[in-house]
């Protein structure tokens, strides 16, 4: 089974500061409880600091969870990059990315739902800037594999191809996101077959995309809504 995406030794940030300690405590509580129903006071206790200390770095719980979500995206991007670094074939790289994505979500559903759910969305559907930046960095890993030829042909990453690339991303993400949630909710299983299931769904999707890559409509975005 793939390790949880909140595993401590995988976290891509340095030790020794309060901000990191609070975010790390939140990741641990989220992984253990699979719930966002925890208090900043509880996180302060876990980090061994005063109950007011978290407010020196986070205005409120939503701001803290935005930082947690951003780290989740960083961890997932790192997992994807690690899964592909020994692979030359773009198609194999995209398959490895898909497996890493699905396994990461299934192994820590609460973090996955925080990252991809509506909890952090504002009234204008906006997402926190720190989260958007990390999410787009993760998206870039998928874009690179697609542009390098994962769909059977090179697609230069240019403005002229943006709608086509985002069309491919939309189909890839829809399939992997859907499979992840079906596995999390035990509507598809067993969980021990994650890699085989993601591989089968991916290959079927890639066969279709090799024949036709639908462009997204003008004005549509794929990923966190752009800042106003």
């Amino acid at each position: 089974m793939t390790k949880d995406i909140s595993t401590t030794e995988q976290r891509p940030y340095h030790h020794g500061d309060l901000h990191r300690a609070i975010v790390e405590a939140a990741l641990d509580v989220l992984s253990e409880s699979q719930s966002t129903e925890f208090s900043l006071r509880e996180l302060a206790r876990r980090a061994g600091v005063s109950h007011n200390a978290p407010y020196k770095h986070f205005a409120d719980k939503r701001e803290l969870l935005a930082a947690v979500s951003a780290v989740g995206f960083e961890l997932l991007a790192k997992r994807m990059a690690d899964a592909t670094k020994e692979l030359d074939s773009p198609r194999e790289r995209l398959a490895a990315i898909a497996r890493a994505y699905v396994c990461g979500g299934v192994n820590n559903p609460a973090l996955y739902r925080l990252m991809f759910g509506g909890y952090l969305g504002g009234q204008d559907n906006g997402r926190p800037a720190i989260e958007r930046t990390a999410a787009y960095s993760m998206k870039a890993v998928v874009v690179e594999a697609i542009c390098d030829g994962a769909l059977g042909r090179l697609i230069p990453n240019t403005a002229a191809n943006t709608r086509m690339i985002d069309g491919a991303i939309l189909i890839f993400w829809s399939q992997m996101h859907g499979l992840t949630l079906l596995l999390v909710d035990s509507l598809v299983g067993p969980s021990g077959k994650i890699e085989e299931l993601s591989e089968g769904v991916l290959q079927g999707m890639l066969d279709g995309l090799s024949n036709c890559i639908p462009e997204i409509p003008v004005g549509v975005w794929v990923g966190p809504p752009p800042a106003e």
Side-chain angles (χ1 to χ4, degrees), residues 139 143-144 146-148 153-167 215-216:
K139 177 183 174 182
V143 169
E144 183 179 16
I146 288 174
C147 291
D148 284 350
R153 58 190 172 99
L154 294 174
I155 305 175
N157 191 0
T158 63
N161 289 330
T162 296
R163 288 171 57 205
M164 179 189 298
I165 293 169
D166 275 350
E215 294 186 355
I216 61 169

Side-chain angles (χ1 to χ4, degrees), residues 69-116:
S69 179
V71 172
F73 280 110
E74 292 168 10
L75 291 168
L76 190 52
K78 182 178 185 300
R79 178 179 293 283
M80 290 174 172
D82 288 347
T84 61
K85 63 184 178 183
E86 301 297 330
L87 302 174
D88 293 325
S89 164
R91 185 162 176 139
E92 290 179 2
R93 281 161 46 204
L94 193 60
I97 287 169
R99 290 191 296 270
Y101 181 100
V102 175
C103 287
V106 170
N107 288 337
N108 196 337
L111 179 56
Y112 183 84
R113 291 188 193 278
L114 176 65
M115 293 160 60
F116 294 101

Side-chain angles (χ1 to χ4, degrees), residues 17-89:
D17 64 273
L18 179 58
H19 184 282
R20 175 209 54 80
I22 297 299
V23 171
E24 186 170 297
L27 283 164
D28 289 340
V29 172
L30 193 61
S31 179
E32 292 166 12
S33 68
Q34 288 300 299
S35 171
T36 57
E37 297 303 314
F38 53 79
S39 66
L40 268 65
R41 181 181 290 267
E42 179 182 359
L43 301 184
R45 178 183 58 78
R46 282 202 173 224
V49 297
S50 71
H51 66 272
N52 287 324
Y55 293 99
K56 296 178 181 178
H57 293 276
F58 306 101
D60 52 29
K61 186 176 176 181
R62 183 176 183 271
E63 189 171 300
L64 166 66
L65 289 178
V68 171
S69 179
V71 172
F73 280 110
E74 292 168 10
L75 291 168
L76 190 52
K78 182 178 185 300
R79 178 179 293 283
M80 290 174 172
D82 288 347
T84 61
K85 63 184 178 183
E86 301 297 330
L87 302 174
D88 293 325
S89 164

